[in-house]
Amino acid sequence: MGRKRKGRDISGWLVVDKPAGLTSTAVVNKVRWAFDAKKAGHAGTLDPEATGVLAVALGEATKTVPFITDAMKAYTFTVTLGAATNTDDAEGEVIATSAERPSDEDIKEALLGFIGEIQQVPPKFSAVKVDGQRAYKLARDGEEVELSSRPLWVEELVMLDRPDADHVVLEMTCGKGGYVRSIARDLGEKLGCLGHVQELRRIWSGPFDAEDGVTLEQIDDLAKSPEIDQFLRPLEEGLADLTELKCTPEGATRLKNGNPGMVIASDVEYGDEAWASLEGKAVAVGIYKAGELHPSRVFNQD
């Protein structure tokens, strides 16, 4: 029998405004320690030098992580024009340069080609797996990494500012799996001037906004104290993109036991994914069929 994990049975979401210089895993470990939580995970990795929304789930909220991971996200980022790096960001080694500099009009026109359903090749220094190994590990070992393109939905990509000839500030709203570094790289190639990400900030992810995020300083100040729980947001916020269905106490009991439970449905159709609640608390996520929710995830909340 495995050793029982120590810590509190605490559930909810913490929206962290991640600083530059830390990995997403390091932030999650800090949060788990500060809350003395048994279980924690995050919804969508940020590069170490990136800042902004890192949504951390505790306890039962980890069961809602896929819904935040799949949600739309928005980023602001600065692209340095005139140089390509091996990591597609400012942390890497410059591998090529160009004296070409596009006009504002050229940039705006090029951005139109990155909107909608596009094909994107992840950076060689990324967490994508190649034959069971992370691409960044292979790249660090000097191995040539060939990554396949993958689809990405880009809702919006606009130019916010052009501080000088060498830099452009952009904002992008996209779906799951987007690599901002790839956008910068591909935009630079399309413009014929090369490019890489200088700064990157995730301004929102699903229902979570950076302006509502908690800093690591705030977490440190209240770590291990009862007051830290004030930062925790309800598990249910992670289900914002799904339809909520009310259920009876009897239906909730059936759902908690993994069985289909009766729900009160209005704005939902047969086969839709939804979640059931009792007195505002999430009971289960599942598929709606003929007046019942067939559970796929069950929440153990008091």
Side-chain angles (χ1 to χ4, degrees):
M1 182 180 293
R3 185 168 58 183
K4 188 175 181 180
R5 181 175 291 176
K6 296 180 180 179
R8 292 197 293 159
D9 284 316
I10 183 170
S11 296
W13 281 97
L14 184 73
V15 181
V16 179
D17 187 348
K18 189 186 93 63
L22 284 178
T23 66
S24 298
T25 298
V27 173
V28 171
N29 289 339
K30 166 78 78 173
V31 170
R32 182 190 291 121
W33 166 80
F35 280 83
D36 189 28
K38 279 187 178 179
K39 191 175 183 181
H42 67 76
T45 301
L46 273 178
D47 291 337
E49 293 307 312
T51 68
V53 173
L54 185 69
V56 180
L58 301 180
E60 289 295 288
T62 57
K63 296 177 181 177
T64 69
V65 162
F67 304 109
I68 301 300
T69 303
D70 291 347
M72 298 292 285
K73 300 168 180 65
Y75 303 86
T76 58
F77 57 105
T78 300
V79 178
T80 294
L81 304 172
T85 70
N86 62 342
T87 59
D88 300 319
D89 64 12
E91 297 304 298
E93 172 188 332
V94 174
I95 54 176
T97 60
S98 170
E100 294 293 324
R101 294 296 183 272
S103 67
D104 289 5
E105 291 69 28
D106 289 338
I107 293 172
K108 291 176 182 177
E109 183 177 350
L111 292 177
L112 297 176
F114 293 88
I115 296 173
E117 188 83 23
I118 69 171
Q119 290 292 318
Q120 183 181 79
V121 177
K124 292 182 179 180
F125 282 80
S126 66
V128 174
K129 284 193 174 182
V130 180
D131 296 330
Q133 294 193 65
R134 299 293 184 185
Y136 65 78
K137 185 179 185 303
L138 295 173
R140 285 174 184 164
D141 290 341
E143 295 188 34
E144 189 60 33
V145 179
E146 291 294 335
L147 299 176
S148 301
S149 65
R150 53 187 61 193
L152 171 67
W153 174 258
V154 179
E155 185 76 22
E156 185 177 47
L157 180 59
V158 297
M159 186 170 78
L160 298 182
D161 193 17
R162 184 77 185 276
D164 54 54
D166 296 336
H167 299 90
V168 58
V169 182
L170 306 176
E171 181 173 320
M172 178 173 72
T173 302
C174 66
K176 176 184 178 181
Y179 283 95
V180 175
R181 286 180 288 147
S182 292
I183 294 289
R185 176 199 66 207
D186 295 346
L187 176 64
E189 291 178 356
K190 186 171 186 177
L191 290 167
C193 65
L194 306 178
H196 63 270
V197 170
Q198 183 68 39
E199 294 181 351
L200 168 62
R201 180 169 177 79
R202 186 153 62 197
I203 54 178
W204 57 263
S205 177
F208 304 130
D209 294 316
E211 62 185 22
D212 300 325
V214 178
T215 66
L216 289 189
E217 288 76 13
Q218 290 175 294
I219 294 171
D220 274 329
D221 288 345
L222 296 180
K224 301 284 189 175
S225 73
E227 289 77 18
I228 198 171
D229 289 356
Q230 67 182 283
F231 296 137
L232 210 57
R233 300 166 69 146
L235 172 159
E236 289 74 18
E237 290 194 21
L239 301 170
D241 286 346
L242 297 181
T243 301
E244 178 184 1
L245 307 174
K246 310 288 186 181
C247 64
T248 63
E250 294 78 13
T253 298
R254 286 186 55 79
L255 287 167
K256 287 180 178 180
N257 288 326
N259 300 311
M262 188 173 293
V263 292
I264 301 169
S266 56
D267 188 25
V268 66
E269 297 182 359
Y270 186 97
D272 282 352
E273 190 170 32
W275 64 283
S277 67
L278 178 65
E279 297 179 354
K281 290 284 189 180
V283 177
V285 172
I287 302 300
Y288 174 75
K289 296 180 181 180
E292 291 184 325
L293 188 75
H294 292 244
S296 57
R297 291 180 175 86
V298 175
F299 302 108
N300 300 311
Q301 296 198 86
D302 293 333

